[in-house]
Amino acid sequence: MPPRSGRAERRRLARRVRRRRAGRTPRRIAGVLCTAIALTLLLKTFAVQAFVIPSVSMEPTLRVGDRVLVDRFTPWFGGRPARGDVVVFTDPGGWSPPVPTDRGSPAPPGKEVLTALGLVPADDGRTLIKRVVAVGGDTVEGDASGQVRVDGVLVEPPGPPGRAAHRSEPFRVTVPAGRLFVLGDNRGNSADSRVHLGNGHGGSIPHDAVVGKAFAVAWPTAHWRTL
């Protein structure tokens, strides 16, 4: 029979191994969490970001509260928005209403972290979503009835025909190079390029303002679809 001292030594070694393994488990969990957060931040920054629809300007395509997924990856490879794309962009100046300085109740704890991870939408009011109807070099014309033509071709909004349109003074502009003319799908209730015709660029926005292209409705589940 092996000496008792040998058995005791083996037991001591076994206890040490168990303690080492127990100590590694929290470190492994922390490592997995850190990796997951880092990947989420990378995806949010360079690939996909969620955006919550703030107004009725894109109805019936998008409803207030819909969460859409935005492709931020393609622009890094020189991709440019095309006619018909739904794009999210930062306010190029004067598009968004002033954000109240007094928001009432304080933000819940941890909201800043969740916002940074893209799990909670930012509420600074400076991000908008519209549909591209014309790109650099296109000529956009609007008449008093609210109809819009691009290079002479009528551009109908999505949805059933005969919907109310935004009535305004007739206009005719040529979109400068590197810029986009954008409209809301809800032509009767959208503060889009038509409202900002006097911005010095014919109401257009710069490519640099575009955050990315919206490609799918992710929430609520009843509204799941691609754009």
Side-chain angles (χ1 to χ4, degrees):
M1 293 181 61
R4 292 178 179 273
S5 60
R7 293 179 185 174
E9 183 63 26
R10 285 197 295 272
R11 284 197 292 270
R12 281 195 295 272
L13 288 173
R15 284 195 295 270
R16 279 187 206 146
V17 170
R18 285 195 294 270
R19 282 196 296 269
R20 287 198 197 104
R21 288 175 178 169
R24 287 183 192 138
T25 300
R27 289 196 294 272
R28 287 174 180 168
I29 293 174
V32 170
L33 289 175
C34 289
T35 301
I37 291 172
L39 289 174
T40 300
L41 287 171
L42 284 171
L43 285 172
K44 174 184 178 292
T45 303
F46 299 110
V48 177
Q49 183 175 0
F51 176 76
V52 175
I53 304 303
S55 72
V56 300
S57 69
M58 285 298 291
E59 290 184 348
T61 307
L62 300 170
R63 304 176 192 176
V64 175
D66 281 356
R67 186 181 291 260
V68 299
L69 299 181
V70 179
D71 170 18
R72 299 186 56 153
F73 192 69
T74 302
W76 283 82
F77 289 88
R80 295 292 190 181
R83 300 179 196 90
D85 287 349
V86 176
V87 295
V88 171
F89 59 97
T90 55
D91 185 351
W95 285 57
S96 302
V99 179
T101 54
D102 182 9
R103 291 177 174 268
S105 58
K111 182 179 180 182
E112 292 81 3
V113 175
L114 295 175
T115 299
L117 294 175
L119 301 177
V120 172
D123 55 2
D124 59 6
R126 290 187 54 81
T127 309
L128 304 101
I129 184 166
K130 305 290 180 192
R131 187 181 298 276
V132 177
V133 298
V135 298
D138 291 343
T139 298
V140 186
E141 299 175 271
D143 59 28
S145 69
Q147 290 188 327
V148 175
R149 287 177 169 81
V150 176
D151 291 339
V153 179
L154 181 65
V155 180
E156 292 278 12
R163 299 172 63 223
H166 179 83
R167 296 178 180 272
S168 62
E169 292 294 322
F171 66 89
R172 185 177 190 274
V173 299
T174 297
V175 183
R179 301 184 72 90
L180 308 166
F181 197 91
V182 296
L183 298 178
D185 286 354
N186 186 356
R187 296 280 181 84
N189 190 1
S190 175
D192 46 40
S193 288
R194 297 167 297 173
V195 177
H196 302 280
L197 293 170
N199 69 351
H201 303 283
S204 61
I205 65 169
H207 281 165
D208 292 346
V210 175
V211 175
K213 174 186 173 182
F215 64 90
V217 179
W219 187 265
T221 54
H223 298 172
W224 277 355
R225 64 190 183 87
T226 57
L227 297 174

